[in-house]
């Protein structure tokens, strides 16, 4: 009698635990079969991180274009010692053209540095795209496996229900005891509880899929695919391919190359640019009574001599930044290989 009471308590406990969960489980919505390609398309279109990366690429392209543009010329007019009157007609009035001639390949180095940063932004965009696709594919196969698990557990629950009916029939014929019937009923309840847990897990996975796809109203539906059709992969060849084509490592290489160009640009800052200015003017100074000097040309050429300001701070900062990026790239490569 004590053993039968303990078994009955376990059965009641399982039933009480299962009933709230079963009550909360909503029926799966009947929708068209979804494919992995469709989920990937939705996730790529809705991902805000991908849109942010696209904006970063456009901004980096704009900076690369701006860095290589030549300084604008200056056009103007000037006048010196202008005086009126019939006798004092001195002074000059004219126009000029001024241009800074950039030397030392500074514009090319700036453009190459920003171009490397642009390429790094593109590789980071590709990295983000692959991360989104990886997450979607993981959730897809997880949902596919949970979908199959529900089907298997329903089959087991059917077997458990048939076992309960058989045990009851045998008990009616006197060939089975009451504890055997109760044990079969407990197993049937456990099978139903396992179905409920699997359905809850699938529902949770579908909520994650809906969030990745940017479709809050996306409901659980059948997925196209075979969880047992596992493709054969050459691990060594795929690892070599991933290492060679990894966008994260390529982005690190681009940032390192960009830092090298930036360091060269900082060092080239000491090479002075040439300031050129030229023009024509009308000199009204009288060389003899009634006869002015007339038109004449002017020009100025100068350079800024780096005596005190030799860009020392920027060079030191660029050297430190280059070393940091090189170390970071080596660490990223080592961590990736260890994974």
């Amino acid at each position: 009698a004590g053993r039968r009471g303990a078994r009955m308590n376990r059965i009641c406990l399982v039933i009480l635990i299962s009933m709230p969960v079963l009550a909360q489980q909503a029926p799966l919505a009947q929708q068209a079969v979804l494919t992995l390609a469709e989920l990937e398309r939705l996730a790529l279109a809705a991902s805000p991180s991908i849109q942010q990366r696209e904006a970063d690429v456009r901004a980096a392209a704009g900076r690369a274009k701006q860095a290589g543009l030549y300084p604008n010329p200056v056009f103007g007019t000037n006048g010196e010692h202008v005086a009126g009157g019939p006798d004092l007609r001195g002074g000059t009035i004219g126009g000029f053209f001024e241009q800074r001639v950039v030397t030392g390949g500074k514009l090319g180095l700036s453009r190459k540095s920003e171009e490397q940063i642009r390429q790094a932004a593109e590789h980071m965009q590709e990295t983000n795209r692959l991360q989104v696709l990886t997450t979607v594919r993981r959730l897809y196969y997880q949902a596919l496996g949970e979908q199959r698990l529900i089907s298997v557990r329903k089959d087991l629950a059917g077997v458990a229900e048939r076992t309960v009916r058989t045990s009851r029939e045998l008990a009616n014929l006197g060939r089975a005891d009451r504890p055997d019937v109760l044990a079969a009923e407990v197993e049937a309840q456990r099978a139903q509880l396992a179905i409920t847990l699997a359905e809850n897990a699938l529902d949770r996975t579908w909520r994650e899929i809906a969030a990745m796809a940017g479709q809050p109203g996306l409901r659980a539906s059948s997925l196209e695919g075979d969880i047992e059709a596992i493709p054969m992969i050459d691990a060594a060849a795929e690892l070599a391919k991933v290492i060679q084509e990894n966008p994260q490592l390529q982005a690190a290489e681009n940032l390192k190359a960009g830092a090298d160009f930036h360091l060269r640009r900082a060092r080239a800052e000491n090479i002075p640019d040439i300031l050129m200015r030229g023009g024509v003017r009308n000199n009204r100074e009288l060389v003899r009574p009634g006869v002015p000097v007339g038109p004449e040309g002017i020009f100025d050429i100068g350079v800024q001599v780096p005596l005190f300001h030799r860009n020392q701070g920027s060079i030191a900062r660029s050297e430190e930044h280059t070393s940091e990026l090189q170390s970071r790239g080596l660490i990223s490569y080592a961590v990736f290989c260890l994974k």
Side-chain angles (χ1 to χ4, degrees):
R3 292 181 179 179
R4 291 181 180 179
R7 290 180 180 177
M8 288 297 296
N9 290 335
R10 288 199 299 269
I11 293 174
C12 293
L13 179 61
V14 171
I15 294 175
L16 290 175
I17 294 176
S18 303
M19 288 180 61
V21 181
L22 292 171
Q24 294 175 3
Q25 178 65 36
L28 299 181
Q30 299 298 325
Q31 295 184 354
V33 177
L34 285 176
T35 63
L36 177 59
E38 180 66 16
L39 291 177
E40 290 177 350
R41 185 188 65 81
L42 292 174
L44 291 177
S47 175
S49 58
I50 291 181
Q51 298 175 5
Q52 177 63 42
R53 291 298 182 184
E54 291 176 352
D56 293 341
V57 171
R58 291 193 297 268
R63 289 192 297 268
K65 182 178 180 180
Q66 182 65 34
L69 297 179
Y70 215 79
N72 290 326
V74 177
F75 294 89
T77 182
N78 64 354
E80 296 179 355
H81 309 293
V82 178
D87 299 324
L88 299 177
R89 295 176 53 194
T92 59
I93 297 177
F96 67 90
F97 164 82
E98 182 178 312
Q99 178 66 54
R100 174 185 291 272
V101 180
V102 182
T103 62
K106 299 185 186 73
L107 293 179
L109 292 173
S110 297
R111 181 172 57 250
K112 291 178 181 178
S113 177
E114 294 296 337
E115 181 65 22
Q116 292 294 326
I117 295 176
R118 182 193 65 80
Q119 294 180 18
E122 289 181 348
H123 289 311
M124 293 307 297
Q125 179 186 12
E126 178 64 14
T127 299
N128 190 259
R129 189 185 73 87
L130 293 177
Q131 288 174 346
V132 171
L133 291 178
T134 300
T135 302
V136 170
R137 291 167 184 171
R138 177 183 61 80
L139 292 174
Y140 170 81
Y141 284 106
Q142 180 176 325
L144 199 63
E146 291 169 348
Q147 186 174 279
R148 178 64 181 276
L149 180 61
I150 291 175
S151 176
V152 172
R153 287 185 175 179
K154 284 183 177 180
D155 293 340
L156 294 176
V159 173
E161 289 294 336
R162 291 192 294 272
T163 302
V164 170
R165 290 195 297 269
T166 302
S167 298
R168 290 172 179 172
E169 292 174 358
L170 292 175
N172 293 334
L173 296 175
R175 297 182 180 180
D177 297 332
R178 181 61 178 169
D180 297 331
V181 177
L182 293 178
E185 291 177 349
V186 169
E187 291 300 324
Q189 290 292 335
R190 288 177 177 174
Q192 290 295 331
L193 180 59
I195 293 174
T196 301
L197 293 175
E199 290 177 344
N200 289 341
L202 179 61
D203 184 66
R204 181 174 59 252
T205 302
W206 267 103
R207 287 196 296 269
E208 295 182 24
I209 292 176
M212 287 297 301
Q215 303 287 332
L218 186 65
R219 302 294 300 278
S221 61
S222 298
L223 295 175
E224 182 183 85
D226 186 2
I227 192 64
E228 296 182 357
I230 302 176
M232 300 300 296
I233 298 176
D234 186 350
E238 291 298 324
L239 178 60
K241 180 180 178 182
V242 169
I243 292 177
Q244 182 179 2
E245 301 178 0
N246 187 342
Q248 287 182 309
L249 299 180
Q250 293 175 355
E253 290 295 330
N254 288 129
L255 290 176
K256 171 62 170 56
D260 290 337
F261 283 121
H262 192 271
L263 176 59
R264 292 172 56 186
R265 173 63 178 84
R267 290 172 175 170
E269 188 67 24
N270 289 329
I271 303 175
D273 295 339
I274 300 175
L275 300 176
M276 301 179 60
R277 181 179 182 185
V280 294
R281 63 186 180 183
N282 182 26
N283 191 342
R284 301 194 304 162
E285 183 180 357
L286 300 178
V287 295
R288 59 179 181 269
V291 180
V293 175
E296 60 183 8
I298 58 172
F299 72 90
D300 296 305
I301 298 179
V303 295
Q304 187 179 44
V305 181
L307 292 179
F308 309 108
H309 177 10
R310 296 187 299 275
N311 209 32
Q312 302 95 321
S314 296
I315 293 174
R317 183 180 59 187
S318 298
E319 290 175 346
E320 184 66 26
H321 185 56
T322 302
S323 301
E324 179 185 355
L325 286 177
Q326 184 176 8
S327 302
R328 188 183 303 173
L330 293 174
I331 292 174
S332 299
Y333 180 79
V335 171
F336 175 78
C337 292
L338 289 175
K339 288 181 179 180

